[in-house]
Amino acid sequence: MNKVKVGIVGLGRQGIDQARNIAFRIPNAELMAVNSIIKEEVQEVQQNWGIPYGYTDYNEMLANEELDAIVIISPSPEHCWQIEAALDAGFHVFSEKPLGVSMEECKIAERAVERNEDKVFMLGFMRRYDPSYAYAKQRIQEGSIGKPILVRATSIDPESTIEGAIRFAATSGGLFLDMTVHDIDLARWFLESDVKSLYATGGCYLHEEFEQYGDGDNVAALMHFENGTMAMFHSGRNAPHGYHVETEIVGTHGTLRIGSVPQENQVMIFDNHGARQECVNGFQERFEEAYRLELQEFIDCILEERKPDVSVYDGTKSTEVAYAATESFRENKLMTFKKEVSQSNE
Ligand code: NAI
């Protein structure tokens, strides 16, 4: 196989960008099929880009034997059944985060991955592929900050996209599952441990529309990890200045900070507002390169017959933690995780 032939499901906000990456920016991939329940989206992409196959029914796409891989960028509640169906039909699968919107769904996806272990499965935690986060991980592995003991993470969508966020709230799974889940995955990755206990809080401080979904427009959580390390999270929907993603990893001998000012470029503007820098306005802009690189990794894994760094278990763990954080926020209680008991007699 020289090129991996890909079918994509979902051509919305995120799907159209990833379809473009597969079609035009990943040399060893070919976008052969597109699927959305919205017929016009399918027709438009097929006509504009000359894509041979278009479907409004997901299962019909899975019957196409010319395809090698399925990329899932549909709404979060669709992920797990689509993952299971695609793996069982013999395809390699990439799925957007979060893995699922319930633990039962995540376990279904886990079992499908386990019974199709000759297939590549990758979950879209793209921040791990962002060059700055990848560099931070490399520095930590080289020991340059000593032992990492604390991750402090901020992720805030811009106020300018608030209408979309409110529309999306019914299917997003809530702020912890939709947004903090990226930070939870990063904290697990940097601290090399799992969450032992957590407490979360938050509220609707500016946009009460989120309340009907049991969601907040700003939430925060404090977590304690099994290896004794810590993490602090703040996620929100209303940054006035742009898309603010900032991560700090504090070690015993130094600190790494990524994205303190979400600057759009290197230009400093000195004018009657003071001295300032313009900021990026959305995830598409900030993580453009990471989205391409994660899909490139998925395709390379298929061609080189190896497994990616982000597994289905990372998806389950981060979903479990995001769920516990949501429950803690809603019910004002401390959550603790039981360590999984090994089945062996060791
Ligand atoms: P969207 O609502 O803009 O688009 C959803 C697309 O899926 C539409 O084309 C819709 O017609 C299609 N669709 C819905 N149900 C379907 C079904 N049963 N079969 C086939 N097609 C179906 O959603 P958006 O914002 O593009 O999000 C999609 C996923 O991507 C979500 O899970 C979201 O969490 C994730 N996402 C991840 C980001 C990241 O930073 N990694 C950023 C944005 C979204």
Side-chain angles (χ1 to χ4, degrees):
M1 194 195 312
N2 295 330
K3 278 194 173 195
V4 177
K5 296 188 173 68
V6 179
I8 189 168
V9 46
L11 296 169
R13 217 169 42 138
Q14 175 75 351
I16 194 70
D17 284 350
Q18 289 296 49
R20 192 176 292 110
N21 275 334
I22 300 162
F24 305 113
R25 298 181 71 207
I26 300 179
N28 44 9
E30 191 175 346
L31 186 63
M32 289 280 286
V34 289
N35 165 223
S36 166
I37 46 172
I38 302 171
K39 195 173 167 189
E40 295 73 30
E41 287 182 350
V42 174
Q43 285 172 339
E44 196 180 330
V45 173
Q46 274 197 281
Q47 280 162 16
N48 291 349
W49 301 351
I51 306 299
Y53 300 103
Y55 304 92
T56 50
D57 184 319
Y58 179 67
N59 287 315
E60 275 180 30
M61 179 165 76
L62 297 189
N64 185 335
E65 290 179 3
E66 281 182 60
L67 300 176
D68 304 305
I70 300 294
V71 168
I72 298 172
I73 320 223
S74 52
S76 308
E78 311 289 335
H79 293 177
C80 286
W81 77 264
Q82 291 183 337
I83 290 168
E84 182 184 41
L87 283 168
D88 286 346
F91 297 107
H92 304 286
V93 175
F94 173 94
S95 171
E96 253 308 338
K97 58 53 62 177
L99 179 61
V101 294
S102 75
M103 288 312 292
E104 294 74 29
E105 282 182 10
C106 291
K107 292 289 173 191
I108 289 171
E110 264 189 18
R111 284 195 293 273
V113 171
E114 283 162 2
R115 68 175 172 267
N116 292 285
E117 60 173 27
D118 58 323
K119 296 288 174 297
V120 172
F121 173 78
M122 181 170 170
L123 191 70
F125 279 134
M126 81 297 175
R127 291 191 192 174
R128 294 197 195 191
Y129 297 88
D130 173 77
S132 298
Y133 283 97
Y135 181 62
K137 177 73 178 175
Q138 183 195 323
R139 294 298 304 237
I140 291 169
Q141 284 171 329
E142 288 166 1
S144 66
I145 61 163
K147 178 181 162 46
I149 55 168
L150 168 73
V151 168
R152 186 182 62 79
T154 302
S155 291
I156 317 174
D157 274 332
E159 174 67 23
S160 61
T161 61
I162 194 67
E163 279 178 23
I166 291 168
R167 251 197 328 273
F168 186 60
T171 58
S172 75
L175 197 39
F176 284 111
L177 192 65
D178 182 45
M179 176 76 105
T180 322
V181 76
H182 284 294
D183 295 314
I184 294 167
D185 178 63
L186 285 178
R188 292 181 61 248
W189 191 50
F190 286 131
L191 297 172
E192 296 187 356
S193 186
D194 277 314
V195 178
K196 191 174 172 190
S197 61
L198 67 86
Y199 178 71
T201 184
C204 292
Y205 302 93
L206 190 62
H207 298 287
E208 60 190 27
E209 294 91 330
F210 290 100
E211 211 168 295
Q212 61 189 299
Y213 306 108
D215 203 1
D217 60 17
N218 277 268
V219 294
L222 181 64
M223 303 193 188
H224 183 77
F225 282 67
E226 279 169 6
N227 65 359
T229 59
M230 313 164 265
M232 292 157 65
F233 303 95
H234 169 211
S235 303
R237 296 290 190 195
N238 64 314
H241 54 288
Y243 177 67
H244 193 125
V245 171
E246 177 181 349
T247 312
E248 187 172 77
I249 307 114
V250 179
T252 49
H253 291 84
T255 292
L256 301 172
R257 192 178 293 167
I258 305 146
S260 308
V261 178
Q263 59 196 56
E264 187 165 18
N265 51 42
Q266 297 298 318
V267 179
M268 192 81 190
I269 301 170
F270 300 86
D271 60 10
N272 55 3
H273 297 291
R276 61 197 168 85
Q277 283 188 295
E278 287 174 334
C279 298
V280 291
N281 266 310
F283 57 86
Q284 298 95 334
E285 208 180 334
R286 168 63 183 86
F287 289 111
E288 185 187 2
E289 195 60 0
Y291 291 126
R292 182 184 66 79
L293 289 170
E294 68 173 355
L295 280 182
Q296 181 67 68
E297 172 67 0
F298 172 61
I299 298 297
D300 289 347
C301 282
I302 295 170
L303 292 171
E304 293 163 17
E305 296 183 10
R306 58 182 175 82
K307 294 287 162 87
D309 188 33
V310 190
S311 73
V312 70
Y313 304 106
D314 293 314
T316 313
K317 280 284 179 196
S318 50
T319 302
E320 188 179 25
V321 174
Y323 253 96
T326 307
E327 194 177 332
S328 173
F329 153 58
R330 287 180 183 160
E331 295 176 24
N332 187 26
K333 63 181 187 189
L334 179 75
M335 308 291 290
T336 49
F337 295 88
K338 285 200 189 87
K339 212 173 160 120
E340 273 174 37
V341 181
S342 166
Q343 296 292 310
S344 76
N345 293 324
E346 284 168 24

